[in-house]
Amino acid sequence: MRELLLLDGDAEEAGWQERALCAQTDPEAFFPEKGGSTREAKKVCLTCEVRGDCLEYALMNDERFGIWGGLSERERRKLKKRAV
């Protein structure tokens, strides 16, 4: 029973990803080459209804690459430092 509950929780957690606007756009925009522009990805994030869930996921899972919740890796690192 406990395993079933964990699986259900994982499914609920991942539900926000299905509603994310980035799932409907070019994934390469969210993982630009070093020094590449993040402008397009961040523009998509601005109007995304699950932006907060996305950022929370990235912070909790220590995502080191890409744009998550409208923030770059550097911006997420700064945010984490301020929270400590």
Side-chain angles (χ1 to χ4, degrees):
M1 181 71 164
R2 184 170 167 78
E3 281 184 36
L4 184 58
L5 290 174
L6 290 175
L7 291 175
D8 287 345
D10 289 345
E12 274 182 37
E13 250 182 61
W16 66 266
Q17 293 176 349
E18 293 173 5
R19 298 188 323 271
L21 290 178
C22 61
Q24 304 163 26
T25 57
D26 181 8
E28 288 189 28
F30 294 87
F31 295 92
E33 296 289 325
K34 186 170 182 141
S37 176
T38 60
R39 187 175 300 138
E40 287 303 310
K42 288 180 175 186
K43 193 188 314 185
V44 171
C45 293
L46 280 175
T47 58
C48 185
E49 70 178 67
V50 296
R51 181 178 177 188
D53 295 317
C54 180
L55 180 57
E56 182 180 352
Y57 174 86
L59 294 171
M60 297 297 291
N61 292 283
D62 201 25
E63 288 290 344
R64 296 184 183 208
F65 301 100
I67 306 301
W68 291 82
L71 300 181
S72 67
E73 182 219 344
R74 183 181 304 165
E75 292 165 329
R76 291 191 304 273
R77 257 196 329 254
K78 285 181 185 177
L79 184 64
K80 277 183 116 172
K81 283 182 182 179
R82 277 187 253 144
V84 172

